[in-house]
Amino acid sequence: MKRGLITATAVAGMLVGVAACGSGGGNAGADGFKGQKLTVWVMSGSNPAQWTEQVSAQFRKKTGATVEFKVQQWNGIQQKLSTALSEDSPPDVVEIGNTQTAAYAEAGALAELGDLKKEIGAGWNDAFNKASLVDGKQYALPWFAGNRVVMYNKRIWAQAGLKGTPRTRGELFKAFAAIKKKTDAEPLYLPGQNWYFLDGLTLGTGADLVKRQGGKWVSNLGDPKVAKAMDLYKRYQSFSTAPKNKDEATPQQAEIFAKGRTGALIAMGYEAATAVKANPDIKEDIGFFTIPGETADKPEGVFLGGSNFAVAGMGKNQELAREFLKVALSKQNDRQMVKESGWTPKSAEMAGAGKENPAVAAAAPAAEKSGGTTPLIPQWAAVENVPNPIKSYMTAVLNGKSPAEAAKDIEPEINARLAKQ
């Protein structure tokens, strides 16, 4: 029976109580689950094929149970996940974006996992684990994280007479101009609503999309530093004919790249696999480099995006869910995620796993010197709900409004969402 969308004020206490008493699941030990099935929600593109295959096999061997991965789409996922976590029979384990975890934890929808973190994640970097903590308690476990790089078509760059890769923003724009002049390819495919890239540019200016004012969180979209970031985004987008009112998943930009008519994308490392799946012939043409900044010593600002795994607070299979997390987040399988999808290693001992994936090497400099994230506050998740007002702001600016005018139009909506409890 559905109970509707989770709200922190109405449901938190009830769900916390259920999470505390519901973890038994009626089985003791990893060998008492034979014949059972665990449901795990993952987002489209998150679980690579080999990782999924070996996790499934190891989980079945260890527990006697099977795991069913149900792939979800990002559009509308917060509403769908909120509803699912408030039902009597929620998915057992869920993937949650690292910027959204705090909201579900505050609502009491997630089981506490502090003991499991100590058991399997003692060596994880604090930066990876930060988004799993709320008020010092562990309500999720980090699955993966990474940042955007330039994914480029080496064949098209060679046709434009380009050698090597740009080390500054100015060199990058000159390369785009050369592709436009000397080839019939599109220099860059950048849809108008890749707001994660905008957030990285904003972080690079020393600003943020929200700020603390009068004891509450409010929009910071009107900050001149944010306007500077949006002007820079506009410069990037001028090399693209992609729609100004779409994001990178509508359609999947990697599938556009796979057609072989695009010089570059601002992409996550895993998008190479998406392109190769759509067109295997493009595999040898794909290269990566760090998004260059104004000077060679500091890359462009990047959003450190990723996902956590969480256990549903009202789930009936919490012990089995914990066994799944022990398998899925083992050192072996974390290494596989890095190798297969290009994510940043989350501990020093896994650094070697990235050597086989050039996207990892390209992402590392920006992650270290220019990376950041949106505020890890419960109120932030509401800002990302569809329709995302920051995306509307971006489209408005790209269609001719000044950043100040567009911010003035959008900020009341952002502030209303941030004010919701």
Side-chain angles (χ1 to χ4, degrees):
M1 179 181 71
K2 294 184 178 181
R3 293 196 176 97
L5 296 180
I6 293 173
T7 61
T9 54
V11 190
M14 177 187 69
L15 290 185
V16 169
V18 173
C21 67
S23 61
N27 291 287
D31 58 351
F33 305 105
K34 187 174 182 180
Q36 294 189 28
K37 182 174 74 174
L38 193 80
T39 301
V40 178
W41 277 20
V42 294
M43 303 309 302
S44 177
S46 289
N47 60 315
Q50 189 172 336
W51 179 92
T52 302
E53 182 179 342
Q54 69 186 40
V55 167
S56 299
Q58 291 171 13
F59 179 70
R60 183 169 59 251
K61 182 177 180 180
K62 180 179 182 182
T63 65
T66 58
V67 56
E68 179 183 15
F69 291 96
K70 291 191 173 181
V71 177
Q72 310 296 318
Q73 302 302 314
W74 281 108
N75 283 342
I77 186 56
Q78 289 202 68
Q79 294 90 332
K80 184 175 182 179
L81 187 56
S82 294
T83 300
L85 289 174
S86 63
E87 293 178 333
D88 286 334
S89 298
D92 300 299
V93 177
V94 293
E95 174 189 348
I96 302 177
N98 61 353
T99 64
Q100 303 165 0
T101 301
Y104 293 105
E106 187 181 72
L110 309 178
E112 193 174 343
L113 301 173
D115 57 337
L116 195 54
K117 162 62 170 62
K118 293 177 182 177
E119 180 180 347
I120 66 174
W124 295 339
N125 296 334
D126 290 341
F128 275 84
N129 194 55
K130 185 177 180 182
S132 299
L133 299 172
V134 179
D135 296 330
K137 294 184 178 181
Q138 192 87 30
Y139 285 102
L141 297 177
W143 184 16
F144 59 79
N147 52 275
R148 280 160 177 75
V149 297
V150 179
M151 185 169 87
Y152 73 108
N153 186 311
K154 292 184 285 187
R155 176 182 53 79
I156 291 174
W157 283 54
Q159 288 175 355
L162 299 169
K163 298 179 180 179
T165 54
R167 300 183 68 246
T168 67
R169 187 190 300 144
E171 291 177 1
L172 178 61
F173 290 155
K174 286 182 180 178
F176 289 157
I179 293 171
K180 186 175 182 178
K181 181 179 181 179
K182 298 179 181 181
T183 77
D184 59 358
E186 182 174 19
L188 174 70
Y189 183 86
L190 179 65
Q193 295 186 344
N194 188 334
W195 80 271
Y196 289 115
F197 182 41
L198 173 63
D199 185 52
L201 297 175
T202 301
L203 291 166
T205 69
D208 208 334
L209 295 175
V210 299
K211 62 184 177 182
R212 193 76 169 168
Q213 180 175 291
K216 60 182 180 180
W217 291 100
V218 298
S219 171
N220 193 41
L221 218 55
D223 189 325
K225 292 180 180 178
V226 177
K228 181 180 178 181
M230 189 60 214
D231 283 339
L232 182 54
Y233 187 99
K234 191 174 183 179
R235 180 99 182 267
Y236 273 94
Q237 219 272 334
S238 69
F239 292 100
S240 173
T241 61
K244 294 179 172 62
N245 62 344
K246 302 292 183 181
D247 62 23
E248 67 276 18
T250 316
Q252 289 289 337
Q253 64 176 8
E255 295 179 356
I256 300 294
F257 184 89
K259 297 176 182 179
R261 307 304 310 151
T262 301
L265 297 179
I266 303 298
M268 299 297 288
Y270 67 79
E271 292 185 79
T274 302
V276 171
K277 183 178 180 180
N279 176 18
D281 293 338
I282 203 169
K283 183 176 181 179
E284 298 304 317
D285 293 334
I286 297 177
F288 299 91
F289 59 87
T290 307
I291 306 174
E294 185 175 358
T295 59
D297 62 318
K298 187 176 182 181
E300 201 76 90
V302 290
F303 170 78
L304 292 175
S307 287
N308 300 325
F309 268 141
V311 175
M314 294 179 68
K316 296 177 173 61
N317 300 307
Q318 291 192 26
E319 280 193 26
L320 187 57
R322 287 167 177 265
E323 294 300 325
F324 168 80
L325 293 179
K326 291 177 185 178
V327 173
L329 303 178
S330 69
K331 293 177 182 179
Q332 178 189 3
N333 290 319
D334 275 349
R335 287 191 185 96
Q336 182 62 32
M337 282 294 291
V338 172
K339 289 164 58 178
E340 195 171 357
S341 294
W343 296 111
T344 303
K346 60 186 177 188
S347 67
E349 62 182 314
M350 286 199 300
K355 292 181 179 179
E356 300 177 32
N357 194 316
V360 176
E368 179 182 355
K369 296 181 179 180
S370 310
T373 185
T374 52
L376 299 174
I377 56 174
Q379 296 91 334
W380 178 254
V383 178
E384 294 188 18
N385 277 337
V386 178
N388 185 326
I390 298 173
K391 291 184 177 182
S392 300
Y393 161 83
M394 296 172 73
T395 295
V397 174
L398 293 174
N399 281 332
K401 276 194 175 182
S402 71
E405 290 175 325
K408 187 177 180 180
D409 290 342
I410 298 297
E411 284 193 313
E413 173 63 21
I414 295 177
N415 290 338
R417 295 188 185 200
L418 289 169
K420 291 180 179 179
Q421 297 294 331

